[in-house]
Amino acid sequence: GLVIMVLSAEYGDRVAVSVFLVAGLISLLLPLKSAGVLFLAFGGWYPIVQKKINMLKPFFARLVKTLLFNGVLVLLLFLSAFVTGVKEMPYLYFALLVLGNVCFFLYDILLDRFLIWYILKLHNRLKF
């Protein structure tokens, strides 16, 4: 996600989306499919969308980000329940929602801070 965000900042969204799609397809070829699915479901495209969402007022930006993340997470939980056939685990799903939201909140802060750090410290040194 951090690399996608840097590509989006330096070369625009078209290049970042292209790299995201290629990396996502390649990640599905790896033995551990869950990492590729998580990257495709959220980790890769979110940094591109985040900068557009950040243009909203802070309250609405947080609301849209939370709704977006929870929508994707619930979709993944339903998909995993459908694929595995395990549906009788409401406490596990609740725990995943709570912990997922905490991790997402931290990830969102990390992306914001990393972009600021990149622009202030690395942008001129890397000479893209």
Side-chain angles (χ1 to χ4, degrees), residues 67-118:
L67 290 174
L68 183 66
F69 172 75
N70 283 306
V72 171
L73 185 59
V74 167
L75 181 68
L76 285 175
L77 290 175
F78 280 128
L79 182 65
S80 70
F82 176 75
V83 170
T84 62
V86 178
K87 296 177 178 142
E88 302 296 325
M89 302 177 77
Y91 296 114
L92 177 64
Y93 293 153
F94 179 74
L96 282 171
L97 281 170
V98 171
L99 293 174
N101 276 286
V102 170
C103 289
F104 167 70
F105 180 73
L106 295 174
Y107 179 64
D108 188 53
I109 292 172
L110 170 75
L111 287 177
D112 285 336
R113 302 274 168 88
F114 180 80
L115 184 61
I116 293 168
W117 177 75
Y118 171 77

Side-chain angles (χ1 to χ4, degrees), residues 39-61:
F39 178 76
L40 282 171
F42 198 73
W45 60 267
Y46 178 71
I48 299 167
V49 174
Q50 181 198 28
K51 70 179 180 180
K52 307 253 189 291
I53 296 172
N54 282 343
M55 292 178 192
L56 299 171
K57 292 183 180 182
F59 172 77
F60 292 114

